Amino acid sequence: MPRPTLAMLDSNALQSNLAVIRRYVSQARVWSVVKANGYGHGLSAVWQGLRKTDGFALLEIDEAIVLRENGWYGPILLLEGFFQIADLYEIDRYQLTTVVHSNWQINAIKYMTPTAPLDIYVKLNSGMNRLGFSDQGLPVAWQALSELKQVGTLTLMTHFAYANLPEGVSAQMAVVKQAAGNCMSTLRCLANSAAVLWHPETHEQWVRPGIVLYGASPSGDWQDIAEIGLQPVMTLQSEVIAIQTVPAGGCIGYGGRRRVAETQRFGVVACGYADGYPRSAPTGTPVWVEGVRTRTFGRVSMDMLMVDLQPCPLARIGSKVELWGNHVKIDEVAAAADTVSYELMSTLAPRVTVKLR
């Protein structure tokens, strides 16, 4: 029998979440972000649920090729552009759209001969201070690219650092407005997930939703999206594989840091940090057992964790356990573990069986 730890993916939730995003962005076209192997869900599993998108955005050329070989013929955007000159020939071969964020990339394009002009997203550093041309450098880069016969359409792109925070997007939008004054194209792609939901002035011609497509909040607080209609795509589930009755004063797990005040039942669940459940999740992290919300207890081990069965009198060996999903939001687990849902999704271990329903 296989180990009972499963990640169940809801393809209908993906379709529904994409439809929710479309209602928010009106006429803007949608890049569905599927980087990091579809945010840990599995690219081959999720792209079908998102096939009504206008395009897919990711990082790896290999993942772009997977989409092409699986039958996606629409736009694909490489969010970090290309890493070496040889990549340009794959970009040309598979008709990919690439981000350009550095002068060396412009020079590389200048000396290639593509079979068709390349569509380019020109990255502006508007305040995130990762990739992109400065506001002073953008017009120069734009002019250089616009003069190349190797280049087709040019689209202005930036990324927001504070769209999920009170600071918002106003400061970065001011940089965009100033820097873009000499860029003749009206094509822009600015909005990430948070900006899609909360800053409609950023929507422009294209948007790039990521985490919201998978049913989690870009703010890290699931209550911020509770009324929007987004649905969790991934349910991480397992089973109770043993039950222990621990006497008063007994300890639970490594280090014995948690003692029980009175005799109590605990369930041993077949899921641990080697599966992608966060080791930093403390006692009290919510979990769903046999239809009842309860909590973890003690340290998370490599392959197992303990749950308090006091609220779950009907729990038994074989009882179903939801670690996150519809009943326990992934944002709740992430907050308890002092991380973000992005990390939990993208670090799901390869040994966890993934099933699409």
Side-chain angles (χ1 to χ4, degrees), residues 74-117:
I76 299 176
L77 173 64
L78 297 175
L79 289 166
E80 290 183 356
F82 53 95
F83 304 101
Q84 52 189 352
I85 294 173
D87 295 339
L88 282 169
Y89 298 94
E90 296 295 281
I91 289 170
D92 178 43
R93 177 183 178 186
Y94 290 99
Q95 297 181 305
L96 309 179
T97 300
T98 182
V99 166
V100 167
H101 57 80
S102 299
N103 286 316
W104 78 265
Q105 294 174 317
I106 299 176
N107 291 330
I109 293 169
K110 182 177 180 179
Y111 293 104
M112 74 169 299
T113 305
T115 58

Side-chain angles (χ1 to χ4, degrees), residues 178-223:
Q178 179 178 350
N182 296 322
C183 302
M184 301 304 294
S185 173
T186 59
L187 296 176
R188 296 184 183 180
C189 179
L190 310 178
N192 55 6
S193 286
V196 163
L197 296 183
W198 301 313
H199 301 286
E201 70 273 22
T202 68
H203 291 172
E204 301 288 349
Q205 287 72 44
W206 283 87
V207 297
R208 303 186 309 277
I211 195 71
V212 290
L213 290 171
Y214 306 95
S217 174
S219 71
D221 186 347
W222 69 271
Q223 293 181 346

